[in-house]
Amino acid sequence: MAELSDVYFVDGMRTPFGRAGEKGMYWNTRSDDLAVKATIGLMERNAAVPADRVDDVAIAATSQTGEQGLTLGRSVAILAGLPQTVPGFAIDRMCAGAMTSVAMMGASIGAGMYDVALAGGVEHMGHYPIGGNADPNPRFVSERMVDPGALNMGVTAERIFDRFPQLTKERSDRFGMRSQQKAQAAYEAGKFQPDLVTVAIKDAEGSWGLATEDEGRRPQTTMEDLAALKTPFRPHGRVTAGTSSPLTDGATMSLLAGGGAVKELGLTPKMRMVSFAFAGVQPEIMGIGPIPSTEKALRKAGLTIDDIGLFELNEAFAVQVLSLLDHFGIDDDDPRVNQWGGAIALGHPLAASGVRLMIQLAAQFAERPDVRYGLTAMCVGLGQGGSVIWENPHYNGKKR
């Protein structure tokens, strides 16, 4: 008889994130191979988990075609050398793909159906641009279900500015600049490197090299630089490349386990899942999606926003994060928020990003035994938000 179980984030690893396009470091690398690299690295680091104990593999991608087709969870599991008895599947919730992989695998563990699972995501935006092969149903526009601008993420970000006048371009620019500065400081302090899987890469001349760190960082960014950037989504707009996540390639993978498996295998989890929630909003202003999903996750956990000691919020756009901070009364420079920078600096390979947030939160938990709860949250295309609340197993009850 299956019993309900606690759900633990045992570990997570990712590839370095690369700039999408012909000049990016992964232009000659297959996206499924990126996912394989993350999977192998994670399993090697967690050798106490027998590969045949993995009950399922969930891997997300937004563009499920070509290298990102063929039921990624299953194909990557085979390519990564997992036993062929281990099943797998693919999942899609656009930007929240990996987050949904974790939520669904976590729910399966919590219900006692699984003991151990792998959950992650991959996106090669150089090979498969967002929406490149999509064919939106004409009824969306003809029947006025969805505003045409809802299919352009930059346009939806501009509309957050329209709705909330207090969210100025200057605030957005400052947030983007600070993301770059915090990410560089974290790199210099060695915060990211332990959780990065080195990837062999080949350039246009056929020479081999190694991808060891995120490629898209611009730590020298200034407010003057940002003020001079073009606004590609609207004449005289407020969203720029400097306050948006860049087009990115990369993969993430996490190892989840139930309480019984943790005890049996002698594992040391990095986080315990407390609650998760997804919510829908108007597609044309999709960036506010994490607000209702976070409220929902807090209700399910019996917590308030004041209980959250660390926030990892996906920076699809600076203004999108600012809308959540304003809603909950959190200062733009609150040290609890994205303390090692975010997607504006590190990149946002769509379906992979949710697990990046979790990897960073888990590493911060280890440094902060005074913090009990943390939040990972992100907006999602077509008007959605996703949030997961985690508990720190290192919590000692002593707040700073």
Side-chain angles (χ1 to χ4, degrees):
M1 184 75 173
E3 296 182 359
L4 296 181
S5 170
D6 281 334
V7 180
Y8 293 98
F9 181 98
V10 177
D11 199 7
M13 296 190 78
R14 66 177 179 90
T15 68
F17 289 170
R19 289 194 194 100
E22 292 186 35
K23 295 182 180 179
M25 62 187 183
Y26 293 138
W27 182 247
N28 295 309
T29 304
R30 289 177 60 100
S31 52
D32 49 6
D33 283 336
L34 292 175
V36 167
K37 278 290 187 182
T39 304
I40 291 173
L42 183 61
M43 292 302 291
E44 287 181 347
R45 191 161 82 173
N46 293 274
V49 179
D52 61 2
R53 290 296 302 276
V54 175
D55 288 305
D56 211 346
V57 180
I59 301 182
T62 302
S63 298
Q64 295 200 10
T65 186
E67 302 156 20
Q68 295 178 182
L70 203 62
T71 313
L72 272 169
R74 177 60 172 168
S75 58
V76 167
I78 293 172
L79 291 165
L82 295 179
Q84 294 192 3
T85 52
V86 176
F89 66 104
I91 203 163
D92 174 24
R93 201 197 298 264
M94 295 191 182
C95 302
M99 178 175 282
T100 303
S101 297
V102 169
M104 296 304 100
M105 293 294 90
S108 299
I109 291 170
M113 297 298 107
Y114 292 168
D115 297 316
V116 177
L118 295 175
V122 64
E123 207 76 51
H124 200 308
M125 298 182 74
H127 293 178
Y128 305 102
I130 184 171
N133 65 339
D135 181 18
N137 194 300
R139 290 180 54 220
F140 278 135
V141 175
S142 65
E143 298 182 20
R144 299 185 179 180
M145 297 177 179
V146 172
D147 186 282
L151 302 177
N152 183 310
M153 300 301 102
V155 171
T156 68
E158 287 282 8
R159 286 177 176 163
I160 300 178
F161 279 115
D162 296 340
R163 182 172 293 195
F164 304 108
Q166 75 274 18
L167 302 178
T168 63
K169 183 178 186 298
E170 184 179 4
R171 282 179 66 187
S172 179
D173 285 353
R174 176 174 168 74
F175 191 90
M177 178 185 72
R178 290 287 295 129
S179 179
Q180 297 284 359
Q181 293 170 345
K182 289 190 287 186
Q184 185 63 24
Y187 254 103
E188 291 173 1
K191 303 297 188 184
F192 294 117
Q193 290 89 332
D195 298 317
L196 296 179
V197 177
T198 298
V199 180
I201 53 175
K202 187 165 64 172
D203 65 20
E205 284 72 45
S207 300
W208 287 91
L210 294 176
T212 60
E213 60 181 53
D214 299 309
E215 186 179 28
R217 308 190 318 276
R218 294 184 174 86
Q220 306 307 320
T221 298
T222 66
M223 289 292 284
E224 290 73 23
D225 294 334
L226 294 171
L229 292 176
K230 296 178 181 178
T231 58
F233 304 109
R234 179 188 294 178
H236 311 293
R238 287 155 288 192
V239 178
T240 69
T243 55
S244 310
S245 55
L247 302 180
T248 311
D249 307 330
T252 61
M253 187 59 63
S254 67
L255 174 64
L256 308 174
V262 164
K263 186 174 181 180
E264 176 195 347
L265 300 172
L267 307 179
T268 305
K270 295 184 174 181
M271 303 192 291
R272 183 182 73 87
M273 182 184 287
V274 178
S275 69
F276 66 81
F278 296 91
V281 296
Q282 289 174 287
E284 53 265 35
I285 189 168
M286 65 94 194
I288 64 171
I291 295 173
S293 64
T294 297
E295 291 176 330
K296 195 173 177 182
L298 287 168
R299 283 197 307 272
K300 290 182 177 296
L303 300 173
T304 71
I305 200 70
D306 295 331
D307 292 310
I308 305 299
L310 287 168
F311 295 79
E312 277 297 320
L313 308 174
N314 191 45
E315 298 169 356
F317 301 94
V319 68
Q320 171 262 316
V321 178
L322 293 175
S323 70
L324 183 145
L325 297 182
D326 268 24
H327 177 84
F328 287 110
I330 299 169
D331 188 78
D332 294 7
D333 292 314
D334 192 307
R336 297 175 296 168
V337 178
N338 293 9
Q339 62 176 4
W340 296 348
I344 289 171
L346 303 171
H348 174 28
L350 300 184
S353 285
V355 168
R356 177 192 65 79
L357 303 176
M358 296 167 195
I359 291 169
Q360 286 181 214
L361 180 62
Q364 291 163 25
F365 270 170
E367 297 182 355
R368 296 290 303 276
D370 58 305
V371 170
R372 184 170 184 182
Y373 297 110
L375 171 72
T376 53
M378 59 201 313
C379 61
V380 190
L382 273 185
Q384 300 182 81
S387 303
V388 187
I389 296 174
W390 302 92
E391 185 176 29
N392 185 0
H394 311 285
Y395 177 63
N396 61 15
K398 299 176 182 177
K399 292 190 176 182
R400 284 185 182 176

